[in-house]
Amino acid sequence: MRKHFYLITEHPNEDRVGQIEVTSQRKTPSSKNEETACHKMRFDEERESIEDRFTQMNVSIGYYDFEDEDGYQEQASDVVQSKLEEIDEEHLRKAGLDPEEVFADA
């Protein structure tokens, strides 16, 4: 069960910056440790205008093959931590993360 991980570095909702987005399929185009734009649309019942579209900036932090859903639930946090340790400090800072704290857990 492959999961792809992305660090959100820019988002219209500042609360989302610094979070990890997990997908079952790779976002295209995306390369590990490179920031890419991801165009999204808000999905809600009142969506009626183009203003519901936005751009989110992500940094791919790689993927991991979990054995199954239980393995994902048990290991995801550790996998994300190890993946973040492989990312350039500039991306971590842009996402509001302190590189010293990220690398301290290594």
PDB file of all heavy atoms in Angstrom, residues 8-9 14 17 25 44 68 94-95:
ATOM      1  N   ILE A   8       2.974  20.958   2.967  1.00  0.00           N
ATOM      2  CA  ILE A   8       2.300  22.152   2.447  1.00  0.00           C
ATOM      3  C   ILE A   8       3.110  23.380   2.866  1.00  0.00           C
ATOM      4  O   ILE A   8       3.301  23.630   4.053  1.00  0.00           O
ATOM      5  CB  ILE A   8       0.853  22.246   2.965  1.00  0.00           C
ATOM      6  CG1 ILE A   8       0.068  21.010   2.513  1.00  0.00           C
ATOM      7  CG2 ILE A   8       0.187  23.530   2.480  1.00  0.00           C
ATOM      8  CD1 ILE A   8      -1.316  20.889   3.130  1.00  0.00           C
ATOM      9  N   THR A   9       3.587  24.147   1.873  1.00  0.00           N
ATOM     10  CA  THR A   9       4.408  25.324   2.157  1.00  0.00           C
ATOM     11  C   THR A   9       3.658  26.636   1.949  1.00  0.00           C
ATOM     12  O   THR A   9       4.074  27.657   2.481  1.00  0.00           O
ATOM     13  CB  THR A   9       5.680  25.315   1.292  1.00  0.00           C
ATOM     14  OG1 THR A   9       5.305  25.209  -0.084  1.00  0.00           O
ATOM     15  CG2 THR A   9       6.589  24.152   1.675  1.00  0.00           C
ATOM     16  N   GLU A  14      -3.831  29.758   6.273  1.00  0.00           N
ATOM     17  CA  GLU A  14      -2.521  29.655   6.930  1.00  0.00           C
ATOM     18  C   GLU A  14      -2.431  28.484   7.907  1.00  0.00           C
ATOM     19  O   GLU A  14      -1.336  27.994   8.175  1.00  0.00           O
ATOM     20  CB  GLU A  14      -2.181  30.967   7.659  1.00  0.00           C
ATOM     21  CG  GLU A  14      -1.790  32.083   6.718  1.00  0.00           C
ATOM     22  CD  GLU A  14      -0.481  31.822   5.988  1.00  0.00           C
ATOM     23  OE1 GLU A  14       0.471  31.311   6.604  1.00  0.00           O
ATOM     24  OE2 GLU A  14      -0.424  32.124   4.784  1.00  0.00           O
ATOM     25  N   VAL A  17      -0.609  25.481   6.339  1.00  0.00           N
ATOM     26  CA  VAL A  17       0.830  25.551   6.067  1.00  0.00           C
ATOM     27  C   VAL A  17       1.579  24.782   7.153  1.00  0.00           C
ATOM     28  O   VAL A  17       1.338  24.948   8.341  1.00  0.00           O
ATOM     29  CB  VAL A  17       1.311  27.015   5.997  1.00  0.00           C
ATOM     30  CG1 VAL A  17       2.826  27.088   5.841  1.00  0.00           C
ATOM     31  CG2 VAL A  17       0.616  27.742   4.852  1.00  0.00           C
ATOM     32  N   GLN A  25      -2.047   8.353  -4.643  1.00  0.00           N
ATOM     33  CA  GLN A  25      -1.420   8.470  -5.957  1.00  0.00           C
ATOM     34  C   GLN A  25      -0.497   9.673  -5.978  1.00  0.00           C
ATOM     35  O   GLN A  25      -0.766  10.682  -5.338  1.00  0.00           O
ATOM     36  CB  GLN A  25      -2.477   8.621  -7.042  1.00  0.00           C
ATOM     37  CG  GLN A  25      -3.330   7.389  -7.204  1.00  0.00           C
ATOM     38  CD  GLN A  25      -4.300   7.526  -8.359  1.00  0.00           C
ATOM     39  OE1 GLN A  25      -4.513   8.614  -8.877  1.00  0.00           O
ATOM     40  NE2 GLN A  25      -4.891   6.421  -8.756  1.00  0.00           N
ATOM     41  N   ASP A  44     -17.700  22.215  -1.600  1.00  0.00           N
ATOM     42  CA  ASP A  44     -18.774  22.354  -0.629  1.00  0.00           C
ATOM     43  C   ASP A  44     -20.068  22.639  -1.387  1.00  0.00           C
ATOM     44  O   ASP A  44     -20.071  22.866  -2.590  1.00  0.00           O
ATOM     45  CB  ASP A  44     -18.482  23.440   0.415  1.00  0.00           C
ATOM     46  CG  ASP A  44     -18.266  24.806  -0.192  1.00  0.00           C
ATOM     47  OD1 ASP A  44     -18.870  25.117  -1.237  1.00  0.00           O
ATOM     48  OD2 ASP A  44     -17.482  25.583   0.374  1.00  0.00           O
ATOM     49  N   ASP A  68       0.059  -2.737   5.032  1.00  0.00           N
ATOM     50  CA  ASP A  68      -1.403  -2.695   5.004  1.00  0.00           C
ATOM     51  C   ASP A  68      -1.870  -1.464   5.781  1.00  0.00           C
ATOM     52  O   ASP A  68      -1.049  -0.654   6.227  1.00  0.00           O
ATOM     53  CB  ASP A  68      -2.008  -3.972   5.598  1.00  0.00           C
ATOM     54  CG  ASP A  68      -1.498  -4.293   7.003  1.00  0.00           C
ATOM     55  OD1 ASP A  68      -1.008  -3.380   7.709  1.00  0.00           O
ATOM     56  OD2 ASP A  68      -1.585  -5.468   7.404  1.00  0.00           O
ATOM     57  N   LYS A  94      10.003  27.565   5.181  1.00  0.00           N
ATOM     58  CA  LYS A  94       8.865  28.156   4.480  1.00  0.00           C
ATOM     59  C   LYS A  94       7.547  27.593   5.006  1.00  0.00           C
ATOM     60  O   LYS A  94       6.532  28.282   5.047  1.00  0.00           O
ATOM     61  CB  LYS A  94       8.980  27.905   2.974  1.00  0.00           C
ATOM     62  CG  LYS A  94       7.907  28.617   2.182  1.00  0.00           C
ATOM     63  CD  LYS A  94       8.128  28.534   0.695  1.00  0.00           C
ATOM     64  CE  LYS A  94       7.029  29.312  -0.017  1.00  0.00           C
ATOM     65  NZ  LYS A  94       7.144  29.194  -1.463  1.00  0.00           N
ATOM     66  N   ALA A  95       7.577  26.338   5.436  1.00  0.00           N
ATOM     67  CA  ALA A  95       6.380  25.696   5.986  1.00  0.00           C
ATOM     68  C   ALA A  95       6.181  26.025   7.459  1.00  0.00           C
ATOM     69  O   ALA A  95       5.248  25.530   8.081  1.00  0.00           O
ATOM     70  CB  ALA A  95       6.467  24.188   5.798  1.00  0.00           C
TER      71      ALA A  95
END
